[in-house]
């Protein structure tokens, strides 16, 4: 059986394609965390006082907290004093005003990653904000969007040009006291994307952020804030990669979404941070807090995620259903191969009346991968006629990987209807041989099986992203059933 | 079509290697249908798996020629594309993959191998529907995951549906009749008979005469103690039905003893 297992392993093993490093001159803070470092970050970004105060409050609170221990993930202790909390490509002076000001080396990096920043080369209908290490390097189509009153820029720019919006909404969904990693992020976050869609505007293109960790020993702490005002609609995409390194790197991001009356936000992620090598060395620790607030009636927030990268993924994109008749959705594919670990899921908090949520989670484990779904459906007393449907499927490739499901349900209103379905299936040599005996190669068989399994989630992704996700799963599984 | 000479096959059982086939000879010509019978555990499925290229079986001696060329060097998917088809004794379930997707991938892989264009969705559907009618299967089975939740009989029918779509040169049917009700047996037999042709060879592994009532074989073989212990015409199956395998096994042991120095 031993060599059969390794054949499946070979099938899912693959080389990480985005693992190169771009040598850049950088401007960085010394390693370690202190009030001085936070003041330095804030000063570098020329922030107004309210921002510095907020950061310092978060930092002081963080000092009283300890890392969460309840997830199924295991890792050696993280030395928070060894991390560099601020690193920016040097050539940049005061934030890019146009693409012409962006370092050509950076543009080449994004091209290599398949994210062209030249506007004319962009896929029609996608505006991109590119975040390199800690800072946003370019935002495309800004002017075109501006004509509609849409603000789409880096977080730093938003702080400069729209402080009143930042002040109103920052921390209003994920407060700085929320959890260990979100609090750390609140203290040190250096950039990210900001987006505001004015009332009644349907954003005519997909907005997209592409995150890249480049520098060594650097943590990436970005913060995204999206506000859809009354009746607005926006579809937002997020992608990420990092170079291959033997050390683990920390990525602790926060995403806050606010949907006002009748607004809709669709947030899609294809996460492909460096997962570490096949022996489990290196890789990104992806400890992320994502939460949406359906703050007013008839609003809708929908999360779709394809998580294939990172050594450890710890994230629970959630929706607070405050407004009556609001709708929350979570569609997820999480893949763990080799020694990757994922503890991911969602929280649907029903507060308003007639609120509805759907959870569709697909976990794929291969190699020694460990994959946990952790979900909370909470129906408050106030949430009359709340509905939730949860479907949670696990696919195991081989016999050394693991899947766990932790569905938590708290219902305080008797009129609620909460349904949960779960399934686990294992794919092994027998299934592969069956396909091969029909003329389908083992590689094709794996991708047939995996894409069949993920179909319902992929159809929620915007077209280009769906293709990308399918390809990603293809490579992530090269060499995989065990 | 198929020539097996002095085939020896062992399987790993922990530290020891256990011989299953011990000098098996068999020749099946184009257009012929051969039945292989034999007691439980005698190695019929092992033979079928070795022909299809399953891992875990070690060929320690002998050779297998398929259309004049060495078969054993080819990976399983190439064998399939070259026209070998195995209908499994225990078809496996593949969650998440709709039956029709596997069929399409399989057919197109073979067509590509032969240098033919892939069938487009419409032509493919027309072809599959015709075969569904032949097998009297419900169209809904196409859209369910491969064999998942299929009844025993539905699984067996599904195997023959795949065979009908793929139109192999050499079909090996491993106990396709087991688990079929009387009407289903007729449907499957009709499906198989419809595929008999001068270019196609078939090997039917079975325990029961009733299948051979519907599909009349050219030759009947008894596999015992790792080799073909006895061969004959269709009448041999009737004799086995009457007398069981004891006398054949005794004879096989004698021959084996005689062969030893
Ligand atoms: N992978 C394997 N590992 C260990 N033993 C095996 C393996 N495959 C087959 N065997 C053994 O080889 C012998 C022959 O098995 P096989 O399945 O070929 O028999 P069969 O003739 O098809 O029997 P049946 O009529 O019951 O289907 C059995 O004793 C079986 O246990
Ligand atoms: Mg058998």
């Amino acid at each position: 059986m031993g060599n059969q297992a390794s054949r499946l392993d070979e099938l899912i093993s693959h080389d990480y394609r985005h693992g190169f490093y771009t040598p850049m001159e950088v401007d960085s803070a010394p390693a370690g965390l202190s009030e001085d470092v936070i003041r330095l970050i804030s000063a570098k970004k020329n922030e107004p006082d309210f921002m510095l105060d907020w950061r310092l409050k978060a930092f002081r609170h963080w000092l009283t907290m300890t890392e969460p221990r309840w997830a199924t993930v295991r890792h050696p202790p993280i030395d928070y004093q060894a991390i560099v909390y601020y690193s920016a490509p040097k050539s940049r002076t005061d934030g890019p005003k146009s693409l012409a000001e962006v370092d050509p080396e950076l543009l080449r990096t994004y091209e290599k990653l398949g994210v062209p920043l030249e506007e004319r080369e962009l896929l029609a209908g996608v505006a991109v904000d590119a975040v390199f290490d800690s800072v946003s390097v370019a935002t495309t189509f800004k002017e075109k969007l501006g004509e509609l009153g849409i603000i789409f820029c880096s977080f730093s720019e938003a702080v400069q040009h729209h402080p009143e919006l930042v002040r109103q909404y920052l921390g209003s969904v994920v407060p700085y006291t929320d959890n260990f990693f979100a609090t750390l992020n609140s203290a040190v976050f250096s950039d990210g994307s900001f987006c505001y869609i004015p009332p009644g505007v349907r954003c005519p293109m997909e907005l997209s952020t592409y995150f890249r960790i480049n520098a060594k020993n650097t943590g990436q702490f970005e913060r995204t804030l999206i506000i859809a005002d009354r009746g607005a609609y926006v579809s937002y995409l997020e992608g990420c990669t990092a170079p291959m390194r033997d050390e683990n790197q920390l990525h602790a991001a926060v995403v806050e979404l606010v949907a006002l009356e009748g607004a809709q936000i669709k947030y899609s992620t294809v996460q492909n941070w460096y997962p570490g090598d096949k022996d489990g060395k290196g890789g990104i620790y992806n400890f992320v807090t994502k939460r949406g607030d359906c703050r007013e009636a008839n609003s809708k927030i929908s999360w779709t995620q394809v998580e294939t990268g990172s050594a450890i993924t710890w994230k629970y994109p959630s929706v607070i259903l405050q407004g009556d008749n609001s709708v929350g959705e979570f569609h997820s594919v999480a893949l763990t191969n080799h020694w990757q670990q994922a503890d991911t899921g969602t929280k649907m908090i029903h507060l308003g009346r007639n609120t509805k949520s759907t959870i569709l989670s697909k976990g794929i484990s291969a190699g020694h991968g460990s994959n946990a779904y952790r979900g909370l459906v909470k129906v408050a007393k106030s949430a009359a006629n709340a509905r939730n449907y949860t479907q949670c499927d696990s696919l195991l490739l081989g016999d050394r990987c693991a899947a766990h499901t932790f569905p938590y349900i708290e219902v305080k209103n008797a009129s609620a209807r909460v349904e949960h379905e779960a399934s686990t299936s294992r794919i092994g040599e027998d299934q592969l041989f069956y396909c091969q005996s029909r003329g389908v190669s083992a590689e094709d068989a794996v991708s047939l099986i995996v894409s069949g399994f993920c179909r319902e989630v992929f159809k929620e992704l915007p077209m280009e992203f769906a293709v990308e996700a399918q390809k990603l799963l293809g490579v992530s599984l090269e060499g995989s059933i065990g | 079509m198929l020539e097996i000479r002095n085939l020896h096959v062992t399987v790993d059982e922990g530290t020891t290697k256990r011989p299953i086939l011990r000098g098996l000879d068999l020749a099946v010509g184009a257009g012929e249908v051969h039945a292989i019978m034999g007691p439980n555990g005698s190695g019929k499925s092992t033979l079928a798996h070795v022909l299809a290229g399953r891992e875990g079986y070690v060929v320690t001696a002998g050779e297998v020629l398929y259309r004049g060329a060495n078969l054993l060097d080819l990976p399983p998917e190439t064998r399939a594309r070259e026209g070998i088809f195995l209908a499994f004794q225990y078809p496996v379930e593949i969650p998440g993959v709709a039956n029709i997707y596997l069929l399409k991938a399989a057919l197109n892989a073979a067509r590509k191998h032969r240098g033919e264009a892939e069938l487009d969705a419409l032509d493919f559907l027309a072809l599959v529907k015709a075969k569904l009618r032949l097998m009297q299967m419900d169209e809904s089975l196409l859209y369910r995951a491969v064999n998942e939740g299929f009844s025993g009989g539905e699984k067996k029918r599904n195997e023959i549906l795949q065979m009908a779509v793929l139109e192999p040169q050499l079909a090996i049917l491993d106990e396709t009749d087991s688990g079929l009700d009387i009407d289903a047996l007729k449907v499957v037999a009709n499906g198989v008979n419809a595929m008999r042709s001068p270019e196609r060879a078939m090997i039917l592994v079975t325990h029961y005469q009733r299948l051979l009532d519907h599909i009349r074989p050219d030759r009947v073989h008894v596999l015992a103690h790792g080799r073909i212990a006895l061969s004959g015409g269709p009448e041999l199956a009737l004799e086995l039905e009457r007398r069981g395998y004891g006398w054949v096994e005794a004879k096989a042991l004698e021959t084996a003893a005689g062969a030893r120095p």
Side-chain angles (χ1 to χ4, degrees), chain A residues 212-435:
Chain A
R212 170 82 177 163
I213 296 180
N214 190 58
K216 200 174 169 171
N217 298 329
T218 305
Q220 180 151 322
F221 303 92
E222 80 276 347
R223 189 141 190 137
T224 299
L225 175 56
I226 299 175
I227 303 132
D229 213 321
R230 301 202 165 149
Y233 168 88
V234 62
S235 167
Y236 196 90
L237 320 174
E238 177 203 301
C240 15
T241 57
M244 294 195 260
R245 294 187 191 289
D246 287 349
E247 307 84 31
N248 296 107
Q249 281 179 288
L250 179 63
H251 172 252
V254 172
V255 175
E256 296 181 276
L257 311 181
V258 180
L260 301 186
E261 195 183 328
Q264 266 192 51
I265 302 176
K266 193 173 157 59
Y267 194 104
S268 315
T269 307
V270 173
Q271 185 265 109
N272 187 27
W273 295 118
Y274 178 54
D277 70 8
K278 63 182 187 343
D279 302 316
K281 194 164 187 197
I284 302 287
Y285 291 162
N286 189 37
F287 300 151
V288 169
T289 304
K290 290 183 165 175
R291 195 173 303 151
D293 186 2
C294 284
R295 201 160 284 181
E296 295 181 353
N298 305 313
S299 53
K300 177 175 174 183
I301 288 178
S302 145
W303 298 101
T304 302
Q305 61 173 19
V306 176
E307 303 281 322
T308 65
S310 296
I312 303 179
T313 295
W314 180 98
K315 67 182 267 202
Y316 314 89
S318 305
V319 184
I320 302 168
L321 297 150
Q322 284 199 67
D324 290 347
N325 314 313
S326 58
V327 176
E329 291 176 345
F330 173 73
H331 310 107
S332 169
V333 167
L335 169 89
T336 52
N337 192 10
H338 301 309
W339 298 90
Q340 279 177 276
Q341 309 173 54
D343 194 298
T344 183
T346 184
K347 288 187 274 185
M348 293 292 173
I349 314 292
H350 293 256
L351 302 174
R353 284 169 302 166
N354 307 316
T355 46
K356 235 169 76 179
S357 63
T358 308
I359 299 171
L360 178 58
S361 161
K362 303 270 180 179
I364 305 169
S365 321
H368 294 90
S370 153
N371 210 323
Y373 166 81
R374 189 182 300 278
L376 169 67
V377 176
K378 192 169 177 169
V379 177
K381 224 181 177 131
S382 53
N385 292 315
R387 297 277 176 274
N388 163 268
Y389 174 74
T390 299
Q391 188 185 328
C392 200
D393 300 321
S394 306
L395 181 67
L396 301 172
L397 303 179
D399 50 16
R400 286 161 308 155
C401 48
H404 316 271
T405 329
F406 305 99
Y408 305 94
I409 299 172
E410 285 173 36
V411 177
K412 302 255 164 65
N413 185 309
S415 64
R417 209 168 65 210
V418 176
E419 288 172 76
H420 181 93
E421 279 180 36
S423 78
T424 301
S425 18
R426 197 180 283 279
I427 299 291
E429 282 300 315
D430 288 350
Q431 278 83 3
L432 278 196
F433 177 66
Y434 188 82
C435 294

Side-chain angles (χ1 to χ4, degrees), chain A residues 1-291:
Chain A
M1 248 6 203
N3 55 2
Q4 296 185 20
S6 62
R7 196 172 72 94
L8 260 154
D9 274 348
E10 259 164 53
L11 258 170
I12 33 179
S13 311
H14 67 103
D15 294 329
Y16 185 71
R17 294 191 184 162
H18 308 290
F20 61 89
Y21 165 71
T22 312
M24 295 281 303
E25 264 201 82
V26 293
D27 176 13
S28 41
L33 192 52
S34 63
E35 289 208 1
D36 287 345
V37 168
I38 289 163
R39 286 178 201 282
L40 177 86
I41 294 172
S42 191
K44 286 235 184 252
K45 310 189 84 61
N46 191 27
E47 288 181 346
D49 287 345
F50 82 88
M51 282 300 301
L52 178 61
D53 289 348
W54 196 72
R55 287 176 183 280
L56 289 173
K57 271 193 286 185
F59 177 64
R60 288 169 198 146
H61 187 73
W62 184 73
L63 291 174
T64 70
M65 302 171 97
T66 49
E67 273 180 46
R69 291 263 172 256
W70 42 263
T72 55
V73 301
R74 276 163 293 121
H75 58 81
I78 299 171
D79 181 357
Y80 291 92
Q81 294 305 333
I83 294 172
V84 173
Y85 289 87
Y86 181 80
S87 166
K90 208 168 203 161
S91 56
R92 175 177 167 273
T93 42
D94 199 21
K97 301 210 168 40
S98 73
L99 280 174
E101 281 179 30
V102 175
D103 187 330
E105 192 58 40
L106 272 175
L107 290 182
R108 270 196 293 278
T109 300
Y110 279 94
E111 219 153 87
K112 223 157 144 186
L113 294 168
V115 186
L117 295 179
E118 306 283 346
E119 292 193 357
R120 62 193 152 78
E121 283 178 21
L122 281 171
L123 293 165
V126 184
V128 180
D129 182 24
V131 176
F132 194 81
D133 285 336
S134 301
V135 292
S136 171
V137 294
T139 308
T140 59
F141 286 110
K142 218 185 285 186
E143 277 150 40
K144 192 166 166 196
L145 294 167
E147 286 163 22
L148 291 163
I150 295 172
I151 303 169
F152 178 46
C153 62
S154 69
F155 208 100
S156 322
E157 279 176 271
V159 169
Q160 299 304 320
H161 304 302
H162 310 282
E164 68 300 337
L165 283 175
V166 172
R167 196 170 193 160
Q168 184 180 353
Y169 290 105
L170 174 67
S172 73
V173 187
V174 179
Y176 70 82
T177 51
D178 196 79
N179 70 74
F180 185 85
F181 297 110
T183 301
L184 176 63
N185 172 290
S186 304
V188 303
F189 80 93
S190 32
D191 215 335
S193 294
F194 177 88
C195 171
Y196 171 81
I197 316 286
V201 172
R202 195 184 161 87
C203 184
M205 56 178 78
E206 310 276 355
L207 301 186
S208 166
T209 303
Y210 195 90
F211 293 111
R212 170 82 177 163
I213 296 180
N214 190 58
K216 200 174 169 171
N217 298 329
T218 305
Q220 180 151 322
F221 303 92
E222 80 276 347
R223 189 141 190 137
T224 299
L225 175 56
I226 299 175
I227 303 132
D229 213 321
R230 301 202 165 149
Y233 168 88
V234 62
S235 167
Y236 196 90
L237 320 174
E238 177 203 301
C240 15
T241 57
M244 294 195 260
R245 294 187 191 289
D246 287 349
E247 307 84 31
N248 296 107
Q249 281 179 288
L250 179 63
H251 172 252
V254 172
V255 175
E256 296 181 276
L257 311 181
V258 180
L260 301 186
E261 195 183 328
Q264 266 192 51
I265 302 176
K266 193 173 157 59
Y267 194 104
S268 315
T269 307
V270 173
Q271 185 265 109
N272 187 27
W273 295 118
Y274 178 54
D277 70 8
K278 63 182 187 343
D279 302 316
K281 194 164 187 197
I284 302 287
Y285 291 162
N286 189 37
F287 300 151
V288 169
T289 304
K290 290 183 165 175
R291 195 173 303 151

Side-chain angles (χ1 to χ4, degrees), chain B residues 44-46 89-90 174-175 205:
Chain B
K44 304 179 297 295
S45 295
T46 300
Q89 181 175 2
Y90 304 108
D174 193 357
E175 295 199 29
V205 174

Side-chain angles (χ1 to χ4, degrees), chain A residues 1 4, chain B residues 10-14 18-21 36-49 54-57 89-90 174-175 205-207 223:
Chain A
M1 248 6 203
Q4 296 185 20
Chain B
T10 60
V11 293
D12 277 344
E13 271 182 345
R18 179 163 153 227
I20 308 291
L21 301 180
I36 296 181
M37 306 180 78
N40 291 137
S42 57
K44 304 179 297 295
S45 295
T46 300
L47 174 64
H49 283 140
R54 171 147 218 164
E55 276 188 18
Y57 298 94
Q89 181 175 2
Y90 304 108
D174 193 357
E175 295 199 29
V205 174
T206 183
H207 287 294
L223 179 48

Side-chain angles (χ1 to χ4, degrees), chain B residues 156-185:
Chain B
K156 296 301 180 81
R157 257 192 228 208
N158 199 34
E159 295 290 289
I160 303 307
L161 172 73
Q162 295 179 5
M163 173 171 95
V165 169
L166 294 174
E167 302 187 316
Q169 295 297 298
L170 170 65
I172 305 149
L173 276 52
D174 193 357
E175 295 199 29
T176 302
D177 53 332
S178 307
L180 291 178
D181 68 36
I182 299 154
D183 296 330
L185 182 70

